[in-house]
Amino acid sequence: MFKKILVANRGEIALRVMRTCREMGIATVAVYSTVDRNMLHVRYADEAYLIGEGPPLESYLNYPKIVEVAKAAGVDAIHPGYGFLSERTEFAEACADAGITFIGPNPESVKLLGDKVSARRTMIAAGVPVVPGTEGRVGPDEAVRAAPAIGFPLLIKASAGGGGKGIRLVRSEGEIEGAVRVASSEAQSAFGDGGVFLERYLSPVRHVEIQIIADQHGNAVALGERECSVQRRHQKLLEESPSTVIEQPIREKMMAAGVAAAKASGYCNAGTVEFLFDPATNEFFFLEVNTRLQVEHPVTEWLCGRDLVRDQIRIAAGEPLGFTQADVSLRGHAIECRIAAEDPYNNYLPSLGRIDFVNEPSGPGVRVDSSIFSGIEIPYFYDPMLAKLICWGADRAQAIERMKRALREYVIVGVKTNIPFHLQLLDDPRFVAGQVHTGFLDDDFKMIEPDDRSEDERIALMVAAVLSHNRRARHGAQPAVLTGPAGSGWASGGRDRQLNVQSQVMQQGNRWRRSTG
Ligand code: MV4
């Protein structure tokens, strides 16, 4: 087993990966940019290295620098988290060249699946259903010939695209030739690959994905589905499992298709097979494979009772999966809400700055994967997601009740958040009835403005805020997570000096930590 792992990421996912490392007795190495020097992932790790300035290209995407740090720190393996370098095969190859294990899929399968046309071909050969469309890449003339059999409207998709990028809708025969030319040249400049293919446009549909995990010994299992139809402009906001529309026989077919997709592409480690699901016909169609651990993986962890990061690490170290499909049992219902610093009452405009105060929910059935604390400055360079709130219930109704309770407990002062959006969604009769589709938020959902408060209520709130501020100032606020290098207060004190930490909140946290041993 590995002795030391570098986590090439920031925020909640870096912390989440390090927590599992610590449980496994593996030392952790953080990397950070100048604007992230106060972040919890830096404070939690056993060692931390500055790798560059705030812009991702100068730090979290600078893989030669990260590999250099990994070598200097003497790590055995690197976990990339999601985003940043997680699906960059050059990075995985650079790790291998340096004799460091990349905790993720093999570059060959990532390349195969990253090209949507070769992925489609692989799935057709493996008997996984795909959306009716062209077998391979098409030029303008071939598109005109193929279109009538596919039917209108249809989609032109970039072979190098994915996740909503490089898609164009075509409504009639007259548009197709020009649309293929434009789509192809856009794909050429966006991805350096002008290849496009056609698919029938299915609507309304749901986005349902299957979590898979595969080892280096040919074992692959599916860990159920996640319903991800609640998204705005290709950004997921809420995910849940099980899906309200998938019945057990369909679930079993989808899981078998997910395993077949993994095997056909020679996949290893954790991955997600995305499908479109048509509730009118109960048919599902392969879309693409996400070759990383996804943001919403905790939903699956809660249903199947596994730690997917632990499984990823074990598999990367060469261990067999250690369980079979028959061992997988999925219990209850889990929902994840992505908490983001954006204003739902102002077109979801990012709301950056200092978070003056945080109080996170807890209690039965609540998991918070977060990296915020009172006093944190949200840097402008990265994703506005602040935290993930995951709730479990014996059934969907209980999961929804718990989520509403936890969202109301969640206090974030200083930036606007999308918590009011989640509360309104969870009360929406269409959501409660499980009737959502991928166009639901963009086409059918509007925030209801809160009633203006009366002047008396406003004054009462101001007085309450001043009183509670004074009380906190007397007793001292403490950061959300009081953890640091395992063991010694000397280590965390030294880290503060190394980082030149000025934040009063953190100094108070350390004083507390030292006084409690
Ligand atoms: C589709 C589709 C309808 N028909 N393909 C968008 C993201 C990318 N992964 C594929 N996408 C879609 N492909 C066919 N043939 C509708 C979408 C789609 C979508 C898919 C998943 C989640 C959200 C979506 C929002 C709009 C469109």
Side-chain angles (χ1 to χ4, degrees):
M1 183 44 67
F2 307 124
K3 292 198 162 46
K4 202 194 254 193
I5 290 176
L6 182 148
V7 182
N9 215 301
R10 64 183 299 282
E12 67 85 19
I13 192 62
L15 199 56
R16 188 257 168 275
V17 170
M18 289 179 196
R19 283 178 157 141
T20 289
C21 291
R22 186 152 298 163
E23 288 174 21
M24 296 174 79
I26 299 169
T28 52
V29 177
V31 290
Y32 63 97
S33 68
T34 46
V35 296
D36 272 352
R37 53 174 77 240
N38 285 347
M39 295 286 151
L40 288 178
H41 75 284
V42 181
R43 305 172 58 73
Y44 192 96
D46 296 299
E47 295 171 40
Y49 297 90
L50 179 68
I51 50 168
E53 298 293 318
L57 277 172
E58 294 172 38
S59 46
Y60 299 105
L61 289 173
N62 182 357
Y63 66 85
K65 176 77 183 174
I66 291 173
V67 172
E68 183 192 308
V69 166
K71 281 201 279 198
V75 307
D76 317 294
I78 295 183
H79 195 298
Y82 52 69
F84 293 124
L85 296 168
S86 58
E87 296 178 88
R88 292 274 295 275
T89 50
E90 315 92 292
F91 178 53
E93 283 159 356
C95 291
D97 291 344
I100 295 167
T101 304
F102 175 80
I103 302 171
N106 46 315
E108 298 73 31
S109 64
V110 175
K111 282 179 196 155
L112 173 80
L113 296 166
D115 182 296
K116 305 305 160 209
V117 165
S118 64
R120 227 173 110 82
R121 281 219 178 90
T122 307
M123 297 312 148
I124 294 168
V128 175
V130 300
V131 187
T134 57
E135 159 84 37
R137 294 159 185 250
V138 291
D141 297 343
E142 218 181 329
V144 170
R145 281 196 298 276
I150 296 168
F152 292 92
L154 58 74
L155 292 176
I156 304 173
K157 293 189 176 183
S159 188
K165 280 179 256 157
I167 300 186
R168 176 174 291 260
L169 182 70
V170 177
R171 299 192 177 278
S172 65
E173 197 155 0
E175 297 169 41
I176 183 108
E177 192 180 334
V180 166
R181 279 184 213 285
V182 175
S184 177
S185 83
E186 278 177 3
Q188 183 64 44
S189 51
F191 313 113
D193 173 359
V196 299
F197 63 103
L198 307 184
E199 271 185 8
R200 179 182 300 162
Y201 177 60
L202 304 175
S203 179
V205 280
R206 301 174 69 120
H207 172 133
V208 180
E209 57 187 31
I210 298 286
Q211 176 71 53
I212 51 160
I213 186 138
D215 66 15
Q216 297 179 36
H217 310 278
N219 304 301
V221 301
L223 300 172
E225 82 276 11
R226 291 183 293 258
E227 162 75 61
C228 304
S229 299
V230 178
Q231 52 84 44
R232 183 187 316 111
R233 295 181 221 121
H234 303 295
Q235 288 291 326
K236 293 171 188 165
L237 286 156
L238 178 149
E239 304 94 345
E240 64 180 311
S241 186
S243 166
T244 56
V245 287
I246 307 285
E247 284 158 9
Q248 191 56 24
I250 308 284
R251 174 171 300 113
E252 280 165 21
K253 281 198 190 118
M254 281 183 98
M255 296 211 297
V259 169
K263 292 198 164 159
S265 53
Y267 198 81
C268 188
N269 218 285
T272 299
V273 187
E274 286 187 13
F275 294 99
L276 288 179
F277 180 77
D278 184 348
T281 61
N282 262 356
E283 285 178 294
F284 62 85
F285 305 94
F286 171 84
L287 265 190
E288 56 192 73
V289 178
N290 296 321
T291 54
R292 61 174 183 275
L293 183 74
Q294 285 187 270
V295 175
E296 60 269 29
H297 75 276
V299 166
T300 298
E301 292 187 318
W302 217 329
L303 260 77
C304 70
R306 301 200 65 82
D307 176 341
L308 286 173
V309 172
R310 178 182 281 261
D311 286 336
Q312 286 192 293
I313 293 170
R314 286 193 309 103
I315 286 167
E319 288 185 18
L321 208 47
F323 64 100
T324 66
Q325 193 67 59
D327 297 323
V328 175
S329 77
L330 303 166
R331 276 189 59 237
H333 196 99
I335 304 177
E336 170 179 281
C337 289
R338 298 190 187 190
I339 310 299
E342 56 187 28
D343 182 1
Y345 297 111
N346 188 11
N347 203 26
Y348 301 92
L349 213 70
S351 173
L352 303 170
R354 187 185 138 96
I355 297 185
D356 298 307
F357 182 73
V358 177
N359 194 42
E360 300 198 310
S362 61
V366 175
R367 167 175 171 180
V368 187
D369 280 20
S370 153
S371 62
I372 58 173
F373 53 86
S374 300
I376 192 178
E377 229 14 272
I378 303 302
Y380 128 101
F381 297 104
Y382 315 111
D383 194 279
M385 191 178 82
L386 301 176
K388 306 182 311 205
L389 176 55
I390 308 103
C391 290
W392 182 90
D395 56 25
R396 187 168 187 262
Q398 190 184 33
I400 291 176
E401 277 169 13
R402 277 193 169 146
M403 183 61 84
K404 291 201 286 192
R405 184 265 294 171
L407 285 165
R408 290 192 198 104
E409 279 179 18
Y410 216 141
V411 179
I412 300 177
V413 180
V415 299
K416 302 230 168 60
T417 76
N418 62 359
I419 289 173
F421 157 80
H422 284 297
L423 283 167
Q424 185 181 316
L425 175 66
L426 291 165
D427 269 335
D428 191 298
R430 295 162 296 178
F431 175 81
V432 173
Q435 289 159 1
V436 288
H437 54 90
T438 55
F440 174 69
L441 288 185
D442 289 324
D443 306 340
D444 302 338
F445 186 88
K446 272 238 143 39
M447 283 303 286
I448 305 162
E449 292 290 332
D451 293 343
D452 270 337
R453 296 183 198 280
S454 72
E455 194 66 10
D456 282 355
E457 226 181 321
R458 248 199 289 266
I459 291 166
L461 283 169
M462 284 182 226
V463 170
V466 169
L467 289 176
S468 92
H469 171 82
N470 286 347
R471 188 160 42 184
R472 270 204 302 282
R474 270 203 307 281
H475 298 300
Q478 279 160 8
V481 182
L482 291 165
T483 41
S488 129
W490 289 102
S492 56
R495 176 70 47 77
D496 285 355
R497 192 159 308 173
Q498 175 198 344
L499 297 173
N500 192 20
V501 169
Q502 298 297 339
S503 152
Q504 205 190 342
V505 165
M506 286 183 176
Q507 284 170 14
Q508 276 163 351
N510 280 333
R511 230 170 280 139
W512 180 87
R513 188 153 57 221
R514 282 180 212 117
S515 71
T516 53

